[in-house]
Amino acid sequence: MKKLIIALGLITPAVLFGQLDRSKVPAAAPAKAISIADPVVFKAANGMTVILSENHKLPRVSFNLTVGNGQRMEGQKAGLADLAGDLILSGTTNRSKDEIDAKSDYIGASLNAGSRNLNLTCLTKHMDEGLKIFSDVVMNANFPQSEFDRIVKQWESNLMSLKSSPEGMGENALMSALFANHPYGEVTTEATLAKITRDDVQQYFKETFVPEGSYLVIVGDITKAKAEEVVNKYFSSWSGKSLPKVEYPSAKNLNGNRVIFVKKTGAVQSYIQVAFPLDVKIGDANNIPLNVTNSIFGGSGFGTRLMQNLRESKAYTYGSYSSVNIEPQGAYLAASGNFRTDVTDSAITQLLFELDRMTDSYVTDHELELTKSSMGGGFARSLEHAATIARFALNIERYGLPKDYYKNYLTNLEAVDKEKVLEIAQKFFTAKNCYIVVVGNESVIEKLKPFDADGKIEIVDAFGAPVQDMKKADITAEELFKKHSFYVTSTSSEKQRDKLLKKIKSVTQDIEMNMSQVPFPLKSVQFWAAPNSEVMTIEAQGMVVQKTYFDGKTGYESNMQTGKVDLTAEAIAAKNKSIGLIPEINYATSGMKYELVGIENQNGTDMYVVKLHDGENEMYDYYNTNNFSKIKRLTISTDPEAGGDAVVTYSDYKAVSGVLFPHKIVLSFGELAFNGTVKAIAVNKGAIGDYK
């Protein structure tokens, strides 16, 4: 009988009185009023605004300092602010970086910094110890030269990696065009990074990290009385006036679509962005309906119009999304995605079609209710975190929003109807005045011309700067290879060169490799023996993690994931097309396919570009037109899932046994970048058998 009672209890009213109609979205309940406790806001004597949000559920407290000085034009030193942000925790006049890290770890504190902010989170009982470090950094950061040099090297590697990132290149091109003569449009390059000095970083910090106009947001297990006490104790001696506010022009509106192309040689996909400025400010009444409209258009889910069209219907891409970006001094909407090269023009057509469709007719009830439900749920969940309440308070104070802006969020969200969405789309959306940025293979350029209002395609480099047209080479490939070999051997005739090279039977190079993602240096040993044997190993803390071995006839590759794998016949054939210490000398007879494409200017340097194919890989070698040194090699990845192209750059050539070897080698593969420094080169020591 008990089982029967339980079973009856499981029968729902829907079973008794009819099935639910699951084809209809349930009607949304009326939006509930949000009860958000008003934070405590007070001014410190030095001009800093303090915002306190008490939360005593956990014995933890956080301090988030945001300085009031906004972004400024950096010109030839673009990247200065962000570089300073990476260096703020590198030491003070009282503590070294190691001491800061050790003390933070000891008390279990989290300390993070950015170009305009500093954050501390710790247990309440360790608050005073944490604030000693926090306030010391705020007032006494000293940017040691050794740390400055270390971070700059990391940045150099990251900039090299960016050249293999379609998304990074596309973002540079878009922002440079959209925000011309504006801080948002400035892009860090190798050239601007090289101009930044430690003195520049110190001056930036001195001018920017000042209390006047800054905001200190305190969240957690702390009372107002205690907050006032610690602010006075740790920040009363901090002084400084904020710089005058600078206004910059809004994002540039267009009269007709403008197409910008970034060449990514050998790309099998096109990364596309379609964007346009938005005339909105943070906290505008149109913010919420604009976000609703964007969420239906491209948002972040699978149910958006972009995803349904470009992925589900057309199968052009794995994903296409859009975002509304509203910053203090500019706003824009951007839709983007990675698409197969052969559908580049079709993808752009559909992106523009969906923009137009948003302005032509009402969205459906299903689209609207699903979007509002998702946005409302996300907002409600965010209220579970005390930091959210503090962020709301900061925005209200910083941007002058109405005091009830966030309290009325759900009510204002629920009020957005189909009529409002269409009104917003017709006011802000456009398919006729867009920036269309494409990163990909140059084979698509002709297909892009119909999308540009003038039928002209602007070509820019990885950093958004205009690219000069490639010039016709003034020598043949064979002449280039000969001149390169003369440069490497410091000779002036083939006879002298060959005489020198005959003396060199083997070369062993010890290379220290550093990368930002690994906290310790890696060691690489590269061995070459005449005529065509080679070994390459990579060691991490004394353990060989990767190795390639080739004796001219057979070989293998091994790593910790796959173990030892014999080289294929194709790989062996490819290696035998790069014979000799200077393989260019033998290309004509080894079977290597080559073509001197022309002269290309990159970062102010003219370079001969040679296209190579060894039967397995497509490569591009770049040689300085002045001295014929090899500057870099680009190896094309034809697999979009493989992580990207490989780029190796060579510099700092020094003579060893009469031959010039590069002593600085930077390798980037997708988002990974290794900074290599040659520590030692040994000539005629060792044999291939020593490494088998």
Side-chain angles (χ1 to χ4, degrees), residues 480-535:
L480 170 61
F481 296 152
K482 184 188 296 184
K483 289 178 181 292
H484 170 66
S485 71
F486 290 166
Y487 167 80
V488 171
T489 56
S490 300
T491 58
S492 58
S493 70
E494 293 180 53
K495 184 177 180 180
Q496 290 176 323
R497 177 198 69 194
D498 295 344
K499 183 179 179 180
L500 173 62
L501 292 178
K502 283 181 180 179
K503 296 177 182 179
I504 300 178
K505 306 300 180 183
S506 69
V507 176
T508 307
Q509 300 186 62
D510 293 327
I511 305 172
E512 181 180 280
M513 304 175 70
N514 294 277
M515 62 183 300
S516 58
Q517 295 90 340
V518 178
F520 51 83
L522 304 177
K523 179 183 178 182
S524 176
V525 176
Q526 296 186 11
F527 174 82
W528 170 87
N532 196 35
S533 299
E534 62 181 29
V535 178

Side-chain angles (χ1 to χ4, degrees), residues 261-457:
F261 179 77
V262 187
K263 182 175 72 172
K264 189 172 185 296
T265 304
V268 296
Q269 286 187 318
S270 293
Y271 176 68
I272 300 171
Q273 284 184 299
V274 175
F276 47 83
L278 296 171
D279 185 18
V280 292
K281 301 288 186 182
I282 295 174
D284 278 1
N286 284 326
N287 279 185
I288 292 175
L290 179 58
N291 282 321
V292 171
T293 306
N294 173 67
S295 294
I296 295 171
F297 169 64
S300 60
F302 279 91
T304 66
R305 290 189 172 186
L306 290 184
M307 286 291 279
Q308 289 299 305
N309 182 339
L310 293 159
R311 175 187 165 116
E312 300 302 318
S313 176
K314 303 293 191 305
Y316 289 165
T317 180
Y318 286 113
S320 180
Y321 307 96
S322 66
S323 61
V324 168
N325 307 276
I326 305 176
E327 302 294 339
Q329 298 200 56
Y332 65 99
L333 183 148
S336 63
N338 282 290
F339 303 90
R340 300 193 320 272
T341 297
D342 62 308
V343 298
T344 300
D345 52 339
S346 300
I348 296 173
T349 297
Q350 293 305 315
L351 285 165
L352 297 176
F353 166 77
E354 291 297 347
L355 282 170
D356 248 344
R357 190 159 74 99
M358 291 297 300
T359 68
D360 280 346
S361 58
Y362 293 123
V363 298
T364 66
D365 291 333
H366 177 76
E367 288 176 312
L368 182 61
E369 294 308 318
L370 193 64
T371 297
K372 292 198 298 185
S373 176
S374 175
M375 291 177 63
F379 180 83
R381 287 190 296 274
S382 74
L383 298 178
E384 298 172 4
H385 306 285
T388 299
I389 309 301
R391 176 169 54 83
F392 290 169
L394 175 60
N395 289 344
I396 289 171
E397 292 295 324
R398 192 176 185 185
Y399 302 117
L401 306 184
K403 297 295 183 183
D404 59 358
Y405 181 82
Y406 294 102
K407 291 181 181 180
N408 292 332
Y409 178 87
L410 291 181
T411 301
N412 292 332
L413 176 64
E414 182 58 33
V416 179
D417 54 23
K418 292 188 294 185
E419 287 74 19
K420 188 63 177 179
V421 169
L422 183 60
E423 175 192 329
I424 289 292
Q426 290 175 340
K427 180 175 182 178
F428 293 107
F429 280 40
T430 177
K432 297 178 175 63
N433 301 297
C434 298
Y435 292 84
I436 302 173
V437 176
V438 179
V439 182
N441 195 303
E442 59 189 330
S443 63
V444 305
I445 289 180
E446 286 300 318
K447 294 182 179 180
L448 301 180
K449 289 182 178 180
F451 297 105
D452 187 90
D454 298 322
K456 298 178 180 178
I457 308 301

Side-chain angles (χ1 to χ4, degrees), residues 446-606:
E446 286 300 318
K447 294 182 179 180
L448 301 180
K449 289 182 178 180
F451 297 105
D452 187 90
D454 298 322
K456 298 178 180 178
I457 308 301
E458 297 173 56
I459 301 178
V460 301
D461 63 17
F463 302 103
V467 170
Q468 300 177 18
D469 291 337
M470 184 175 286
K471 295 181 290 187
K472 185 177 180 180
D474 51 3
I475 59 176
T476 66
E478 291 76 16
E479 289 172 326
L480 170 61
F481 296 152
K482 184 188 296 184
K483 289 178 181 292
H484 170 66
S485 71
F486 290 166
Y487 167 80
V488 171
T489 56
S490 300
T491 58
S492 58
S493 70
E494 293 180 53
K495 184 177 180 180
Q496 290 176 323
R497 177 198 69 194
D498 295 344
K499 183 179 179 180
L500 173 62
L501 292 178
K502 283 181 180 179
K503 296 177 182 179
I504 300 178
K505 306 300 180 183
S506 69
V507 176
T508 307
Q509 300 186 62
D510 293 327
I511 305 172
E512 181 180 280
M513 304 175 70
N514 294 277
M515 62 183 300
S516 58
Q517 295 90 340
V518 178
F520 51 83
L522 304 177
K523 179 183 178 182
S524 176
V525 176
Q526 296 186 11
F527 174 82
W528 170 87
N532 196 35
S533 299
E534 62 181 29
V535 178
M536 186 278 291
T537 64
I538 296 178
E539 298 179 15
Q541 296 184 312
M543 181 182 298
V544 176
V545 296
Q546 187 171 323
K547 180 178 179 180
T548 301
Y549 173 89
F550 178 61
D551 63 11
K553 295 181 180 179
T554 62
Y556 62 86
E557 292 181 345
S558 66
N559 58 57
M560 298 181 70
Q561 287 75 37
T562 62
K564 184 177 177 181
V565 179
D566 289 338
L567 294 177
T568 64
E570 291 78 13
I572 292 172
K575 286 185 176 295
N576 278 319
K577 291 174 183 175
S578 293
I579 301 172
L581 186 61
I582 307 175
E584 286 90 343
I585 299 173
N586 301 305
Y587 282 168
T589 57
S590 68
M592 178 71 78
K593 293 182 178 179
Y594 58 87
E595 175 192 0
L596 179 52
V597 180
I599 298 175
E600 184 174 303
N601 185 281
Q602 292 189 10
N603 302 319
T605 300
D606 280 343

Side-chain angles (χ1 to χ4, degrees), residues 484 487-488 583-584 587 612 621-624 627-633 648-651 653 662:
H484 170 66
Y487 167 80
V488 171
E584 286 90 343
Y587 282 168
L612 306 169
D621 283 351
Y622 296 77
Y623 301 83
N624 190 306
N627 62 10
F628 307 101
S629 63
K630 185 183 290 186
I631 296 177
K632 73 175 181 179
R633 165 169 285 188
V648 187
T649 63
Y650 311 94
S651 60
Y653 280 85

Side-chain angles (χ1 to χ4, degrees), residues 23-308:
S23 66
K24 296 181 180 179
V25 177
K32 296 181 179 179
I34 301 175
S35 177
I36 300 177
D38 291 327
V40 174
V41 181
F42 61 91
K43 278 273 191 180
N46 59 12
M48 176 176 66
T49 299
V50 182
I51 301 170
L52 169 64
S53 178
E54 292 188 46
N55 187 318
H56 302 283
K57 292 181 180 179
L58 295 173
R60 188 170 59 202
V61 63
S62 68
F63 297 81
N64 184 338
L65 175 70
T66 301
V67 295
N69 284 331
Q71 284 183 272
R72 292 173 178 268
M73 295 291 289
E74 296 174 341
Q76 294 186 345
K77 297 183 179 183
L80 171 59
D82 290 332
L83 182 64
D86 279 0
L87 283 162
I88 287 174
L89 296 176
S90 62
T92 72
T93 53
N94 303 307
R95 295 173 174 84
S96 67
K97 181 181 185 302
D98 289 342
E99 289 172 327
I100 291 173
D101 292 342
K103 187 62 177 180
S104 299
D105 289 343
Y106 181 73
I107 64 174
S110 173
L111 193 61
N112 301 288
S115 60
R116 292 170 186 82
N117 59 76
L118 185 66
N119 311 305
L120 167 72
T121 300
C122 63
L123 294 175
T124 307
K125 65 180 181 179
H126 294 314
M127 177 172 58
D128 282 287
E129 290 300 315
L131 283 172
K132 288 178 184 178
I133 303 171
F134 186 86
S135 60
D136 187 26
V137 172
V138 169
M139 290 181 274
N140 304 308
N142 70 339
F143 309 98
Q145 185 69 49
S146 59
E147 283 298 301
F148 175 84
D149 294 339
R150 182 180 67 86
I151 295 298
V152 166
K153 285 184 178 180
Q154 286 186 4
W155 274 47
E156 289 173 348
S157 297
N158 293 338
L159 289 174
M160 180 62 66
S161 298
L162 182 140
K163 295 177 183 179
S164 294
S165 168
E167 292 80 5
M169 291 190 286
E171 187 70 9
N172 283 345
L174 175 62
M175 298 303 285
S176 297
L178 191 60
F179 289 100
N181 302 313
H182 192 293
Y184 297 166
E186 291 189 307
V187 175
T188 307
T189 68
E190 290 105 327
T192 66
L193 179 62
K195 288 183 172 66
I196 300 173
T197 66
R198 174 175 175 261
D199 289 343
D200 294 326
V201 171
Q202 289 178 309
Q203 185 64 27
Y204 168 83
F205 181 77
K206 180 181 178 181
E207 293 177 348
T208 305
F209 276 72
V210 295
E212 185 180 78
S214 294
Y215 300 86
L216 180 64
V217 179
I218 306 174
V219 181
D221 185 25
I222 182 173
T223 64
K224 179 187 177 184
K226 186 64 176 178
E228 291 175 331
E229 176 189 327
V230 298
V231 166
N232 182 63
K233 180 178 180 180
Y234 292 105
F235 298 98
S236 61
S237 61
W238 186 32
S239 62
K241 299 288 186 180
S242 62
L243 296 171
K245 187 176 181 181
V246 179
E247 295 290 343
Y248 293 99
S250 301
K252 185 179 178 181
N253 287 294
L254 297 174
N255 183 20
N257 289 336
R258 173 182 172 188
V259 178
I260 303 166
F261 179 77
V262 187
K263 182 175 72 172
K264 189 172 185 296
T265 304
V268 296
Q269 286 187 318
S270 293
Y271 176 68
I272 300 171
Q273 284 184 299
V274 175
F276 47 83
L278 296 171
D279 185 18
V280 292
K281 301 288 186 182
I282 295 174
D284 278 1
N286 284 326
N287 279 185
I288 292 175
L290 179 58
N291 282 321
V292 171
T293 306
N294 173 67
S295 294
I296 295 171
F297 169 64
S300 60
F302 279 91
T304 66
R305 290 189 172 186
L306 290 184
M307 286 291 279
Q308 289 299 305

